[in-house]
Amino acid sequence: MAEISITEASVDDYRQVSALVVELLVELDPQAAEEVAAEGLDRVAQQLLSNGNIWAFLAREDQHLVGVITLHQCAAIYA
């Protein structure tokens, strides 16, 4: 069994973060592939990571990207 490593993404990793988010969105709704591609998520990921508005963590298995998790601080009555 291969070991999965988790590392915090830097601003330089914005393309990898964006690509994994795109894969997820297309998996959830394959018919939205064109719409998702047109969203410019590379730019959004770069901006959010640069501004410190999100934190992203990349999961790798044998040096291959296999997952991403993003965190965002926000307010909620229930939290």
Side-chain angles (χ1 to χ4, degrees):
M1 178 182 278
E3 188 173 319
I4 293 179
S5 64
I6 309 281
T7 57
E8 186 173 356
S10 71
V11 174
D12 294 336
D13 297 319
Y14 74 93
R15 284 190 179 102
Q16 290 90 341
V17 171
S18 173
L20 288 166
V21 169
V22 166
E23 283 185 42
L24 172 64
L25 293 173
V26 171
E27 183 178 331
L28 293 172
D29 185 2
Q31 294 180 344
E34 285 185 38
E35 183 181 343
V36 169
E39 289 292 322
L41 294 182
D42 274 356
R43 179 183 42 77
V44 174
Q46 183 181 34
Q47 182 180 21
L48 291 172
L49 287 165
S50 294
N51 294 340
N53 291 334
I54 66 166
W55 295 268
F57 295 86
L58 297 168
R60 289 183 174 86
E61 183 176 30
D62 293 330
Q63 302 304 316
H64 298 289
L65 286 174
V66 294
V68 64
I69 185 169
T70 60
L71 303 169
H72 181 269
Q73 182 178 348
C74 65
I77 292 173
Y78 62 87

